[in-house]
Amino acid sequence: MSTDEKLGNFPDIAENVFAPIYPVIASDIAASSGIKEGICLDLGCGIASLGIAFAEQTELMVYAVDISEKMHELSIEKAARHGVSDRLEPVLADVHKLPFDDDFANLIVSRGSVFFWDDLPVAFSEIARVLAPGGEAWIGGGFGTAELRQQIAKTMEARAPDWQEGSKKRLSPENKQAMKNACFTTGLLFRVVDDDAGFWIVMNK
């Protein structure tokens, strides 16, 4: 559990501090993958900020998945506020046991959630199972741009002085390697994006 979740203010952080990154991430992933229609899963979605950005920018039908009942309810409310309820459906579920058929989703995204998953090999196996042939999965902790990352870090340090330390732990070499190892167990091709804008594992099927 992150510092902000412990403080009970995760929705406020996502809605306000992190808000600028989601449209940028959605635009970049859509452009890089070329996937702009079909089905998208936003795993560990929180209040569905990234999923909503995809619904606003593409023709994708988005399923915003989170294990938290509170996040599920807030996702429903936020989708309605953004006028995308017809193309974004919040789903209350666990990434370790996804309620979708094999080869279901053309695009799978997850930003910031992977660091809190209990069993990476199981979760990545589920992602591989529901990813459709020709699809891509972007799992990690990107910020969109290096400038946005610096901006958010400055704001978060003012709110929670231990945030930077927690961020470094989440993106430690050991955690990055654990994610890579989980990818190897799926048998899928993957690449790593690791730069000043953040960290992503990109899986292809």
Side-chain angles (χ1 to χ4, degrees):
M1 182 176 288
S2 70
T3 300
D4 301 311
E5 288 171 315
K6 289 176 182 177
L7 293 172
N9 62 354
F10 172 78
D12 171 62
I13 295 295
E15 186 74 14
N16 297 303
V17 180
F18 281 77
I21 73 174
Y22 301 111
V24 177
I25 292 172
S27 176
D28 288 349
I29 291 178
S32 178
S33 67
I35 300 171
K36 300 180 182 180
E37 58 184 16
I39 292 174
C40 173
L41 303 183
D42 178 8
L43 302 180
C45 67
I47 59 173
S49 299
L50 183 54
I52 287 170
F54 275 101
E56 290 176 332
Q57 295 184 24
T58 72
E59 298 303 314
L60 287 158
M61 175 65 196
V62 181
Y63 293 87
V65 181
D66 204 283
I67 197 171
S68 163
E69 291 186 9
K70 180 180 179 181
M71 295 302 112
H72 178 72
E73 293 169 0
L74 291 174
S75 294
I76 294 172
E77 295 171 6
K78 185 170 183 179
R81 291 200 310 273
H82 282 255
V84 295
S85 296
D86 58 331
R87 287 197 303 106
L88 186 137
E89 180 177 334
V91 177
L92 188 63
D94 186 345
V95 68
H96 300 88
K97 192 175 182 180
L98 294 170
F100 305 110
D101 293 336
D102 295 355
D103 304 332
F104 179 75
N106 305 97
L107 181 65
I108 298 176
V109 296
S110 183
R111 192 250 165 243
S113 176
V114 64
F115 310 110
F116 306 102
W117 295 351
D118 292 331
D119 192 322
L120 289 179
V122 170
F124 275 69
S125 176
E126 275 292 89
I127 290 168
R129 179 183 67 79
V130 302
L131 185 64
E136 280 193 4
W138 288 66
I139 314 298
F143 289 82
T145 67
E147 291 75 19
L148 282 171
R149 186 177 190 173
Q150 293 170 358
Q151 173 186 318
I152 287 170
K154 183 177 180 180
T155 303
M156 287 304 301
E157 284 174 354
R159 289 190 174 217
D162 64 341
W163 182 84
Q164 192 71 272
E165 181 181 350
S167 180
K168 288 180 180 178
K169 287 182 179 178
R170 287 189 288 275
L171 288 169
S172 68
E174 293 79 13
N175 282 346
K176 291 178 181 179
Q177 188 60 51
M179 283 184 267
K180 295 175 187 177
N181 291 344
C183 281
F184 282 122
T185 67
T186 69
L188 296 187
L189 296 174
F190 72 92
R191 61 188 173 91
V192 176
V193 178
D194 192 358
D195 55 29
D196 290 341
F199 178 86
W200 297 98
I201 294 277
V202 185
M203 305 164 65
N204 294 89
K205 189 173 184 180

